[in-house]
Amino acid sequence: MTEGNFVDYVKIHVASGKGGSGSSHLHREKYVAKGGPDGGDGGRGGHVIVKGNKNLWTLYHLKFKRHIRAEHGGNGSKQRSSGAEGSDEYIEVPLGTVIRDTETQKIIHEITEDGKEYLVAEGGMGGRGNWHFKSSTNQTPRYSQPGIDGTEVDITLELKILADVGLVGFPNAGKSTLLSVITAAKPKIADYEFTTLKPNLGIVEYRDFKTFVVADIPGIIEGAAEGRGIGHRFLRHIERNSTLLFLIPADAPNISEQYEILLDELRRYNPEMLDKDRLIAISKSDMLDAELKLEMKHELDKNLGAPYLFISSVAQQGLTELKDRLWEMLNKESS
């Protein structure tokens, strides 16, 4: 999927259908002098329902749908015939979509299961026909109820990707290159910062036909909390990842310092993200000789305070060990 087709945030105005009016019809038939009231009920207005669809990966299909309206209910008619119910309007979304009230920004619901439905705008009830109001003292009521208006609400749909591993790192740390090597994904790779402007997903094929999903998130820079770079806009995509893989290049001026900066930006976005399992991959390590690597290990063992390993996506070094460690971390509770 191209970057232009990845849409993870849309605002929509939804309106449910109005209920149909009840009928005030009086029965008229040959040889029946006083048939009495026989007006039917109005039909219910259509609902607007958000539904999870595991085959969708983005909100692109909703990019140009700013207004969604359900059908109005039909009016009642003679012989106690009820009006037709308005057809419901379904908004299909990928799993991991959060529904917010646009005005208050309050989370209304989260869709995390395939086929799961949530009613965001309930259709108005249909009015009752005049036959409901017949009594011994009022045998010919000539009135009925109007239908109840539908509901209108502005909602925001916000996608949080459901991936197992989230890649975290500064721009040009090698995240896209790693994703392209260990999965079949084809992210944009170039020798300048912020080549990744949208999250990319890739499926890692592990031993015995097992798989896990990795999400490449656009690079974070120091000060992202204040809006520098592209800010924290895409960090929501790793809120549901169980494991975070920090990628720091071997030629970084200070690996421990860069790791602490990344941790601080995550902490400022959402402190709970620091509760996730973490692994550090020192990328571009093919430029290190054995002596320099040993020297770096002594330094990292003292200052890093987190598990790490050396990898090179281009030279295909350490990738099998990386997959093994990630699989271990993802399945440690079940083992």
Side-chain angles (χ1 to χ4, degrees), residues 3-4 6-8 195-200 216-218 233-234:
E3 285 186 351
F6 184 88
V7 177
D8 60 352
T195 50
T196 302
L197 296 175
K198 303 283 184 179
N200 290 303
D216 169 23
I217 308 302
R233 182 181 165 193
F234 297 108

Side-chain angles (χ1 to χ4, degrees), residues 7 9 14 33 52 88 111 124-125 172 177 190 198 204 214 249 276 327:
V7 177
Y9 186 91
V14 299
D88 297 334
I111 302 291
M125 289 178 58
N172 271 18
T177 304
K198 303 283 184 179
V204 177
V214 176
K276 299 178 183 294
W327 183 260

Side-chain angles (χ1 to χ4, degrees), residues 64-260:
F64 304 106
K65 279 192 173 183
R66 296 302 182 197
H67 299 272
I68 293 180
R69 294 183 177 275
E71 190 179 40
H72 296 316
N75 296 331
S77 58
K78 59 184 179 180
Q79 297 180 338
R80 298 189 185 179
S81 296
S82 297
E85 289 190 348
S87 58
D88 297 334
E89 194 69 36
Y90 284 88
I91 305 173
E92 295 202 340
V93 296
L95 307 187
T97 299
V98 174
I99 308 166
R100 290 183 186 271
D101 183 305
T102 302
E103 187 176 344
T104 64
Q105 285 301 298
K106 182 181 176 183
I107 293 178
I108 302 170
H109 195 71
E110 296 185 30
I111 302 291
T112 56
E113 298 173 26
D114 183 46
K116 186 175 181 180
E117 297 181 0
Y118 181 75
L119 182 66
V120 290
E122 186 175 3
M125 289 178 58
R128 293 193 295 176
N130 63 347
W131 72 274
H132 285 284
F133 305 106
K134 183 175 70 171
S135 67
S136 58
T137 57
N138 185 11
Q139 296 187 4
T140 314
R142 298 176 183 270
Y143 54 84
S144 58
Q145 288 180 329
I148 295 176
D149 289 335
T151 308
E152 295 196 29
V153 64
D154 290 308
I155 61 170
T156 299
L157 299 177
E158 191 178 276
L159 175 62
K160 294 183 182 181
I161 291 172
L162 293 172
D164 300 304
V165 179
L167 289 179
V168 183
F170 287 101
N172 271 18
K175 301 188 300 299
S176 298
T177 304
L178 175 63
L179 190 74
S180 70
V181 171
I182 63 174
T183 75
K186 304 296 179 191
K188 183 179 180 182
I189 301 171
D191 190 23
Y192 56 84
E193 293 188 348
F194 299 116
T195 50
T196 302
L197 296 175
K198 303 283 184 179
N200 290 303
L201 280 180
I203 299 175
V204 177
E205 293 184 0
Y206 190 59
R207 306 165 199 247
D208 303 323
F209 305 102
K210 296 168 184 169
T211 60
F212 58 91
V213 180
V214 176
D216 169 23
I217 308 302
I220 304 169
I221 64 171
E222 187 174 8
E226 285 79 41
R228 289 190 63 199
I230 48 181
H232 281 163
R233 182 181 165 193
F234 297 108
L235 283 184
R236 66 175 176 272
H237 292 299
I238 55 177
E239 283 186 297
R240 290 201 178 100
N241 304 155
S242 59
T243 299
L244 300 181
L245 176 61
F246 290 80
L247 222 63
I248 302 174
D251 59 352
N254 189 322
I255 291 174
S256 302
E257 188 180 314
Q258 288 211 357
Y259 174 60
E260 288 302 323

Side-chain angles (χ1 to χ4, degrees), residues 245-317:
L245 176 61
F246 290 80
L247 222 63
I248 302 174
D251 59 352
N254 189 322
I255 291 174
S256 302
E257 188 180 314
Q258 288 211 357
Y259 174 60
E260 288 302 323
I261 291 171
L262 290 169
L263 276 185
D264 185 56
E265 290 299 332
L266 293 185
R267 186 185 297 111
R268 294 168 77 176
Y269 174 73
N270 182 354
E272 291 180 7
M273 293 177 82
L274 300 190
D275 297 332
K276 299 178 183 294
D277 291 333
R278 303 194 293 265
L279 176 65
I280 302 168
I282 313 299
S283 63
K284 306 178 184 178
S285 60
D286 54 313
M287 64 177 70
L288 305 174
D289 58 27
E291 186 180 345
L292 187 54
K293 193 178 285 188
L294 187 62
E295 189 180 322
M296 283 183 70
K297 278 184 178 179
H298 290 311
E299 190 70 25
L300 294 174
D301 287 341
K302 281 194 299 182
N303 301 321
L304 207 51
Y308 67 90
L309 46 79
F310 291 91
I311 67 164
S312 171
S313 304
V314 174
Q316 304 273 307
Q317 294 175 2

